[in-house]
């Protein structure tokens, strides 16, 4: 996690200061109570002087931001109000917020304008810089937000594949999907998309093999069978259903 300003990138070495900024940034423009912040900075400890420790880290954060030229007037960027702190920045000042907005926009456009959807989705993907909130802390908010962002990344990748399937990019999609299926064997949607792409490229037997491999993995690793959607797709491939070639 870091800060970019004026064409420069800044890193925060102190873990607690980094966590404090992460939590405030995730709630830009909204107050976060002192108790909530203490719970994020020291999730497994009950500090007797937790408020003093929080204020000390807030002071260190303010000093850092001022040294970088982000806060020309101390206490105007990190604001104290009603037993809370607030990061006085617009919501779209963080990559996470912009990522979610662009991903949502791309999903909305997918059925009506796949090419524009692809532009929004790829712009969102360019904001992704590795595991979400990797070094931001172990508190409940950071962990739950990281999980939500990682899940949104997966659905974004599914949407990007759909863009290719809607616009005749099946051959290009196959290589990406083969990697995604290996990396996420339990995510049946990737297997479905790979089966469709393979089928449209005249590789029906490989599409059927994809189904069998996914089914075998789910049974051996999770004790589950494939879902209804994947079963129905398998039957459609066997029957060479003309609808499989429809890109609408």
């Amino acid at each position: 996690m870091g800060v970019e300003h004026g064409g420069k990138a800044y890193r925060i070495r102190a873990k607690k200061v980094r966590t404090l900024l992460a939590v405030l940034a995730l709630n830009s423009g909204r107050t976060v109570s002192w108790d909530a912040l203490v719970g994020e900075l020291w999730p497994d400890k009950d500090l007797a002087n937790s408020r003093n420790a929080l204020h000390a880290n807030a002071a260190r954060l303010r000093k850092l931001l001022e040294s970088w030229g982000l806060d020309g007037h101390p206490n105007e960027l990190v604001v104290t109000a009603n037993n809370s702190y607030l990061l006085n920045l617009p919501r779209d000042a963080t990559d996470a917020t912009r990522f979610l907005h662009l991903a949502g926009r791309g999903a909305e456009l997918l059925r009506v304008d796949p090419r524009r959807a692809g532009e929004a989705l790829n712009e969102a993907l360019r904001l992704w810089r590795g595991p979400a909130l990797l070094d931001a802390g172990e508190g409940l908010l950071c962990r739950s937000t990281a999980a939500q962002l990682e899940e949104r990344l997966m659905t974004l990748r599914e949407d990007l594949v759909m863009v290719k399937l809607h616009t005749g990019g099946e051959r290009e999609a196959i290589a990406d999907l083969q990697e995604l299926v290996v990396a996420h064997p339990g995510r049946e949607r990737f297997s479905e998309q790979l089966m469709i792409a393979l089928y449209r490229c005249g590789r029906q037997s490989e599409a059927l093999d994809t189904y069998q491999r996914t089914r075998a993995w789910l049974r051996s690793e999770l004790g589950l069978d494939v879902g209804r959607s994947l079963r129905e797709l398998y039957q459609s491939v066997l029957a060479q259903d003309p609808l499989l070639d429809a890109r609408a």
Side-chain angles (χ1 to χ4, degrees):
M1 177 190 158
V3 176
E4 292 186 0
H5 175 66
K8 295 182 179 180
Y10 301 93
R11 298 293 173 188
I12 302 174
R13 295 182 180 179
K15 182 178 179 180
K16 299 302 182 186
V17 176
R18 199 164 56 232
T19 300
L20 176 59
L21 178 58
V23 176
L24 293 176
L26 291 171
N27 294 276
S28 295
R30 296 179 295 179
T31 58
V32 184
S33 70
W34 291 348
D35 289 340
L37 289 168
V38 167
E40 287 296 310
L41 268 67
W42 297 279
D44 302 320
K45 295 182 180 180
D46 185 14
L47 299 182
N49 61 343
S50 58
R51 293 286 179 87
N52 290 338
L54 173 61
H55 297 333
N57 280 286
R60 294 173 69 188
L61 175 58
R62 284 174 169 141
K63 188 174 181 180
L64 264 181
L65 296 176
E66 186 179 3
S67 71
W68 295 339
L70 273 71
D71 196 1
H73 299 85
N75 303 337
E76 287 190 2
L77 192 56
V78 179
V79 180
T80 306
N82 300 323
N83 296 325
S84 303
Y85 282 114
L86 175 148
L87 186 63
N88 191 20
L89 286 175
R91 292 281 292 163
D92 62 358
T94 65
D95 284 349
T97 301
R98 291 197 295 270
F99 169 81
L100 291 173
H101 171 74
L102 288 165
R105 178 63 176 157
E108 291 175 359
L109 288 168
L110 188 55
R111 290 191 179 276
V112 295
D113 194 337
R115 295 191 186 281
R116 285 180 60 204
E119 292 172 1
L121 293 167
N122 278 304
E123 187 177 350
L125 190 59
R126 284 192 290 272
L127 293 171
W128 195 267
R129 305 184 185 184
L133 301 173
L134 177 63
D135 55 357
E138 298 299 324
L140 179 60
L141 175 64
C142 286
R143 287 189 288 110
S144 62
T145 302
Q148 292 168 10
L149 289 169
E150 294 285 352
E151 173 59 24
R152 193 65 188 88
L153 175 66
M154 290 294 99
T155 58
L156 180 147
R157 290 189 181 280
E158 292 171 355
D159 289 344
L160 276 172
V161 171
M162 289 306 299
V163 168
K164 293 177 181 178
L165 296 181
H166 280 311
T167 57
E170 288 86 359
R171 293 188 186 280
E172 180 186 354
I174 287 174
D176 291 338
L177 280 166
Q178 287 172 331
E179 291 183 8
L180 288 168
V181 166
V182 170
H184 309 280
R187 199 169 186 96
E188 293 181 51
R189 184 60 174 153
F190 288 141
S191 294
E192 291 178 23
Q193 292 176 324
L194 178 57
M195 288 175 66
I196 292 171
L198 287 168
Y199 179 84
R200 288 182 181 175
C201 291
R203 298 159 67 175
Q204 182 180 5
S205 62
E206 292 178 64
L208 297 173
D209 286 345
T210 297
Y211 172 85
Q212 297 296 352
R213 285 195 301 270
T214 301
R215 187 183 189 195
W217 188 92
L218 288 169
R219 284 183 168 181
S220 64
E221 298 297 326
L222 302 179
L224 300 173
D225 202 353
V226 297
R228 176 180 175 181
S229 179
L230 192 56
R231 286 199 306 273
E232 291 179 349
L233 177 59
Y234 176 72
Q235 294 300 324
S236 295
V237 172
L238 282 174
Q240 298 184 349
D241 189 335
L243 288 176
L244 291 176
D245 290 311
R247 295 192 172 93

